[in-house]
């Protein structure tokens, strides 16, 4: 019986990322699973990209996040930190701000991620600017598509203007924060949106059991 040929990579440079992730997740995921996720991540990002220079690197980052989430769902050792997922339409403004602000405040005691139901090509520059003013770095952030793995892994899913597009997984805590979209807004308004989100985060943290 002849073995099926391996799938053709959309970019041959992805092979190096697949090899790295195969080593990192050896014993947890098969090379075939890793290859499938990294190809899917690349194709999802390419669908919305205006510039493809860094797509290979971003696909590896996205695939890593998805594999970590899948490991959490499957109960892998060391994957038990609380997980919060922020979802908005484009993952270029509100959800990016919320994830960055929460991650800054919890200092590694939660896994915080964000995604968009229709991700944009890039994070809004004014969003990065107002976060920098608050001492929060958004340098490595990029809009990510919403995937099943990160929803299933989340303990708390916070929607921010994406309507009914976010899938509902039983047993998760769902919140909706009706925050204004910062796209195209002047910087003073974006600063007020940042502060409103930070106030929501304070309320969220106050509602969680102390550890």
């Amino acid at each position: 019986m002849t073995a099926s040929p391996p799938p053709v990579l959309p970019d041959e440079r992805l092979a190096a990322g697949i090899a790295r992730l195969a080593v990192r997740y050896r014993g947890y995921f098969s090379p075939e699973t890793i290859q499938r996720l990294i190809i899917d991540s690349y194709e999802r990002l390419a669908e919305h990209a205006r510039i493809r220079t860094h797509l290979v690197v971003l696909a590896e980052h996205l695939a890593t996040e998805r594999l970590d989430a899948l490991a959490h769902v499957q109960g892998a050792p060391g994957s038990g930190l609380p997980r919060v997922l922020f979802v908005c339409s484009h993952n270029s403004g509100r959800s990016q701000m919320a994830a960055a602000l929460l991650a800054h405040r919890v200092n590694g005691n939660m896994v915080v991620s964000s995604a968009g139901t229709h991700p944009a090509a890039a994070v809004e520059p004014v969003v990065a600017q107002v976060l920098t003013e608050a001492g929060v770095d958004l340098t490595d952030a990029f809009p990510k598509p919403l995937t099943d793995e990160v929803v299933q892994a989340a303990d708390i899913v916070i929607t921010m203007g994406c309507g009914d597009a976010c899938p509902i997984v039983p047993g998760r805590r769902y919140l909706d924060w009706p925050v204004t979209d910062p796209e195209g807004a002047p910087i003073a308004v974006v600063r007020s949106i940042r502060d409103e989100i930070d106030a929501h985060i304070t309320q969220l943290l106050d509602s969680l059991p102390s550890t």
Side-chain angles (χ1 to χ4, degrees):
M1 182 175 178
T2 304
S4 300
V8 177
L9 298 179
D11 188 312
E12 63 182 14
R13 294 172 298 171
L14 290 172
I18 293 169
R20 280 190 292 270
L21 293 181
V23 171
R24 176 170 177 168
Y25 294 100
R26 181 179 293 143
Y28 294 106
F29 300 114
S30 68
E32 291 78 15
T33 295
I34 291 167
Q35 180 167 272
R36 175 178 58 80
L37 276 178
I38 203 167
I39 291 174
D40 183 68
S41 296
Y42 180 93
E43 290 176 342
R44 286 175 183 245
L45 292 171
E47 184 179 351
H48 304 283
R50 288 196 298 261
I51 300 173
R52 301 195 171 202
T53 308
H54 304 296
L55 271 185
V56 171
V57 174
L58 298 183
E60 185 174 345
H61 289 329
L62 177 58
T64 300
E65 183 175 310
R66 296 173 69 183
L67 288 163
D68 284 345
L70 194 55
H72 178 80
V73 171
Q74 296 178 357
S79 63
L81 286 174
R83 303 176 76 96
V84 178
L85 170 66
F86 293 97
V87 184
C88 70
S89 296
H90 303 305
N91 194 218
S92 60
R94 291 166 290 188
S95 56
Q96 290 283 358
M97 280 199 281
L101 288 165
L102 178 58
H104 181 71
R105 292 180 62 173
V106 300
N107 195 29
N109 291 315
M110 287 182 181
V111 177
V112 184
S113 57
S114 67
T117 54
H118 300 89
V123 175
E124 293 284 336
V126 70
V127 168
Q129 181 177 343
V130 301
L131 286 174
T132 299
E133 293 173 358
V136 179
D137 184 16
L138 205 64
T139 302
D140 296 328
F142 61 98
K144 297 181 290 293
L146 183 65
T147 63
D148 290 341
E149 301 89 0
V150 294
V151 177
Q152 291 173 8
D155 300 296
I156 302 172
V157 178
I158 300 173
T159 56
M160 309 176 78
C162 57
D164 298 326
C166 182
I168 302 297
V169 177
R172 307 302 184 268
R173 180 182 177 188
Y174 283 83
L175 300 171
D176 184 67
W177 293 356
V179 178
T180 303
D181 189 346
E183 184 178 0
I187 190 166
V189 172
V190 180
R191 289 187 181 114
S192 69
I193 294 170
R194 174 200 63 198
D195 295 343
E196 180 184 355
I197 290 172
D198 203 42
H200 278 296
I201 287 171
T202 296
Q203 293 175 349
L204 173 67
L205 294 175
D206 288 345
S207 75
L208 299 177
S210 56
T211 55

